[in-house]
Amino acid sequence: MSRPLILGSTSQYRRDLLGRLRLPFTCERPDVDETPQHGERPDALASRLALAKAVDVAARHPGTWVIGSDQVATIDGQPIGKPGNFERARAQLRMLAGQTVEFHSALAVTDG
């Protein structure tokens, strides 16, 4: 018998992406503080959070596989963060127009 698969995220984008594999899975919100640590590089932040999300959800679900992921967007090496609402998203897009934005993505898989 195979282990159940859980996506440690409530992101619709991540849910749709995993759904393309046509594997059965459920989603659960991880309880992880996403505050960057002092001096933490964006790529290290994404990796740490992806693993923390997978481990957090796996701890509540023994006998499962859990996928955790995170992404940090940067401009000139500085994280830009999530806008949080429509108006801030609009302002952020205006600020980023014509700029190069880098995305640091990480994925972690663990067993519960």
Side-chain angles (χ1 to χ4, degrees):
M1 183 170 170
S2 64
R3 293 178 173 210
L5 177 63
I6 302 173
L7 174 61
S9 174
T10 56
S11 163
Q12 185 63 48
Y13 175 77
R14 288 187 179 106
R15 184 179 308 159
D16 292 346
L17 193 60
L18 184 56
R20 291 179 189 175
L21 295 177
R22 300 178 190 250
L23 298 171
F25 69 95
T26 59
C27 296
E28 183 169 329
R29 179 184 305 274
D31 184 20
V32 172
D33 179 0
E34 297 191 21
T35 304
Q37 296 176 350
H38 180 70
E40 189 171 31
R41 293 185 335 264
D43 58 328
L45 172 61
S47 294
R48 178 176 61 82
L49 293 178
L51 181 58
K53 290 174 182 182
V55 168
D56 176 71
V57 173
R60 295 190 300 270
H61 297 280
T64 63
W65 290 109
V66 180
I67 298 173
S69 63
D70 201 78
Q71 186 174 68
V72 178
T74 62
I75 186 165
D76 296 326
Q78 298 301 311
I80 57 174
K82 297 175 185 173
N85 65 41
F86 181 79
E87 286 306 315
R88 283 187 278 199
R90 178 183 274 166
Q92 195 175 72
L93 287 172
R94 276 192 218 110
M95 176 192 76
L96 298 174
Q99 304 285 336
T100 298
V101 179
E102 291 185 310
F103 291 88
H104 306 269
S105 300
L107 176 80
V109 179
T110 190
D111 59 336

